[in-house]
Amino acid sequence: MSRIAARFEQLRDRGRTALIPFVTAGDPSAAVTVPLMHAMVAAGVDLIELGVPFSDPIADGPVIQRATERALAQGVSLDDVLDMVRQFREQDTETPVILMGYLNPIEVMGYETFAVAAHGAGLDGALIVDVPPEEGHTLVEMLKTQGLDLVYLLAPTSTESRIARIGAVASGFVYYVSVKGVTGAGNLDTAAVAEKVGLIKSLIRLPVGVGFGINNPETAASVARVADAVIVGSAIVSRIEALAATPELIPEAVAEFLTGLRQAIDEVDAHVA
Amino acid sequence: MSTSPDHLGLAGFDSAGAPHASSGAYNWPDAGGHFGPYGGMFVPETLMHPLEELRTAYERYMADPQFQAELDADLQDYVGRPSPLYHAERWSRELGGAQIFLKREDLNHTGAHKVNNTIGQALLARRMGKTRIIAETGAGQHGVASATVAARLGLECVVYMGEVDIARQEANVYRMRLLGARVVSVTSGSRTLKDALNEAMRDWVTNIDNTFYIIGTVAGPHPYPAMVRDFQAVIGREARAQMLARSGRLPDALVACVGGGSNAIGLFYPFIGDEGVAIYGVEAAGDGLQTGRHAAPLCAGRPGVLHGNRTYLMEDNHGQIVETHSISAGLDYPGVGPEHAWLKDSGRARYDSVTDDEALRAFHHLTRTEGIIPALESSHALAYVHKLAPTMRKDQTIIVNLSGRGDKDMHTVASHDGLVL
C-alpha cells in the first residue's frame, strides 16, 4: 500500500479529515522549504503538496504566479525540488509528499527518469495540472512502476462519465477543484461543493480532497463536513509572500495559520463522530 | 537533441486508425487532436468538458450548409475574398528564377489573414450562445480582428495583451478600443504574447459559461489547431484554384512565415496531398540562431508541452519557457502549431529561418520593386523567396503568402532606420 493510501486509511480509522497544505518549492528561497515542511507537519497537516515552479502556470492565480516567479528567480528546478523531498525524508518518513505542477519540466527530464528519481527521493505521487487522463497513460504507467500515485483533478465542469473515467485511472486521492477559476479564487459555494462531492463519492472509491478558494477556518470547517481532505494553497502562499524579506519568520507564521485551520476541522470531525 | 518518441515517453501513444502523411491520404489530427506525437489536450480538467462542447459544435457547424453559407458570404462581402493571386513580374525578373505569385491576404479587411479565423470563430460563438469573447494578441493584429468581429456581432470583447507589447503597439491598442474592446495589460512573466495567452486561459477557465475564447493561431488544445487551420484553409483553396485557372498546373513551391503558423497552415493544408508541391515554412531567426535571440522553435528548439499541446518549444534545460526575440511581434512566440511540428518530422514541409536584417531588406525590396508594403511577418517569407527563387527555373512557380500589410510596422521600420515618426 502506498504511503498516501496508508495515511488516508489511518485518518478514516480515527475519523479525521486530512489537512493538505500547498507551498511553492523554493519560495522565497530554497533554504526555507524543508524547515517549512517540518513546521507544517508539526502544526497538524497530513500530507504536503509541493509546487514545482513553471514559467507558464495557466491554472494559477496571481498569488501562486508570484510565488513561482520568486522561485524561478532563484533558479529552482525540478531536480532541486526532488532534492528538497530527499532532505525532508531524512527526518520524516511518514508524511506523504506529492508534487503539483505542470508537465513540461517532467517532459524535458523524461518520464522514466523522473519516476525513478522521484521514487529515489521519497516522493509519493504527483498531480500534473495539465495532464488529463486522455494524455496521461504513459506517465501513469511510469509512475506506477515506481510505486507512485498520479493524483487527478476533478472540476465543476466534469461530467459523470469524466468522473468515472478519472476514477478508473487515479490513485491516492482525487482533488476536486471547488470553483471554475484559478487557484486563489475566493468565491467557494459550499452547498454546490457538497452536492458535487456527493456525486463524486458515489462514482469513485478514492478519498476526495477539496481545494481552490479555502482561505479561513470557517470555509475549512464547512468543506471538512463533506470532503476527506481540505486543501489550502494561496492563503498560505500569501502569508509567505508577506514575510519574503524575513524568511526566518515564515515557518512559525504558516504553522500558526494552519493550527487555526486544524482546530476548525477537528471541531467538525469531533461533532461528526 | 533527441526527438524520438522514447525521449517523450510516447511509447504508449495510440495513433491507430490515423493514416500517415507519407501514405498519401492525410487525415490528421486523430480523434484526440494528435498530429503524430504532437498536439493533444494538455489542459486542466475544468477545460476538458468545455473543449469537448466546442469540438462538437465545431464539427456540427462545419458540416452545416447554412453555417457555411453564412461564413462564405461574410468572407466575400465583409472580408473581401477571394484575395488576389498577384504575379510579381518585376521582382521575379530581377531574381532571375522562378515566377513569384503573392497571395494577397494583406488586402483583407483589417489588413491580414487573421480575420478569416475570427469571423469563423465568432459565428461559432454566436451559434453556441456565448455573449462574450476573449482573445490574446501580440502585435495586436489578432486583437483587432477579434474586436472587429465582436463589434459587428454585438459581442462583449476582452483582449489580453502583454505590457511590453502594449507599449510597442500603441496604434493597434487604440484601434481595439475604438472598436469597443477592453484591452487588459498583462504584467506577469515576460509580459508578451505567451503571457497574454496564459491570462486568456485563466479568464476562460473562470468565465466558461458565457465566454468563447478565440485563439488567434493554430496552437492551443484540440480542437483549436484543427479548427483555426480549417478557417484559414480558404487561403490555400483559393490559391490552388487561382493557380490552376491561370497556368493549368499546380505551383512548384509554397512559402509562408511561421510564428504560431496560422497563415502558413492556411496556405499549405490544401496542398499537402500534392507531392510535387514543395512546402517551405520560414521562422524568425531574430539576431541569428547562434545568438539565442530568436523565435525559431522548429529550427532550434525541441519538443515539449505548452498552452495545451505538445510541439516544438524554446525552453531551457529545465523545461522553463524562454523569452524570444524577433523584430516582428507577430512571430515573437516560443511555440508553434503542432501540425507544423508534425509536417517537419514527417518531412512533408521544410522549415528554415531568416534574420531580422534579412526580413527588413526584403521589406524594403518588395516595397520599391512592386509598390506593396508588406508586414514584417510576411517579409520573412519574402526574404526566403529571395534565396529560393534564383535556384529554380523560369518556368517554375512559387506562391508566397503575403499574410499582412506593413502599415502597422511603420514605427518599427522607421526607428530601425534611426527615424522617429
Side-chain angles (χ1 to χ4, degrees), chain A residues 7 44 49 53 71 91 103 125 163 183 218 270:
Chain A
R7 174 54 54 102
E49 272 184 18
Q91 286 177 51
L103 183 59
I163 295 171
T183 54
E218 296 70 38

Side-chain angles (χ1 to χ4, degrees), chain A residues 55 57 104 107 135 138 157-158, chain B residues 9 41 45-46 202 310 315:
Chain A
S55 52
N104 202 46
E107 186 100 352
E135 303 288 355
T138 314
T157 51
S158 302
Chain B
M41 302 176 86
E45 173 62 20
T46 311
R202 293 179 188 120
R310 181 182 282 117
E315 59 186 5

Side-chain angles (χ1 to χ4, degrees), chain A residues 10-153:
Chain A
Q10 260 172 28
L11 292 168
R12 196 174 54 236
D13 291 348
R14 290 162 50 199
R16 175 174 154 121
T17 303
L19 174 59
I20 302 180
F22 166 96
V23 295
T24 299
D27 170 33
S29 70
V32 170
T33 304
V34 175
L36 175 59
M37 292 167 77
H38 290 305
M40 294 194 296
V41 172
V45 308
D46 303 286
L47 183 154
I48 293 173
E49 272 184 18
L50 214 46
V52 181
F54 179 53
S55 52
D56 295 84
I58 56 165
D60 287 303
V63 170
I64 293 175
Q65 287 174 45
R66 289 196 299 270
T68 295
E69 288 179 15
R70 285 191 295 273
L72 287 176
Q74 309 285 317
V76 174
S77 67
L78 179 54
D79 287 305
D80 296 330
V81 179
L82 291 176
D83 259 346
M84 293 174 197
V85 176
R86 189 175 294 113
Q87 286 173 48
F88 175 77
R89 282 279 170 256
E90 288 170 7
Q91 286 177 51
D92 186 331
T93 56
E94 301 204 334
T95 309
V97 178
I98 69 169
L99 295 191
M100 182 164 179
Y102 298 81
L103 183 59
N104 202 46
I106 296 175
E107 186 100 352
V108 167
M109 183 180 278
Y111 292 175
E112 190 172 7
T113 308
F114 167 72
V116 170
H119 172 75
L123 189 76
D124 300 293
L127 194 176
I128 311 303
V129 177
D130 52 355
V131 178
E134 283 82 348
E135 303 288 355
H137 330 280
T138 314
L139 185 58
V140 160
E141 288 310 312
M142 298 282 180
L143 292 179
K144 240 184 218 163
T145 305
Q146 297 297 325
L148 295 166
D149 290 320
L150 190 57
V151 176
Y152 277 102
L153 296 174

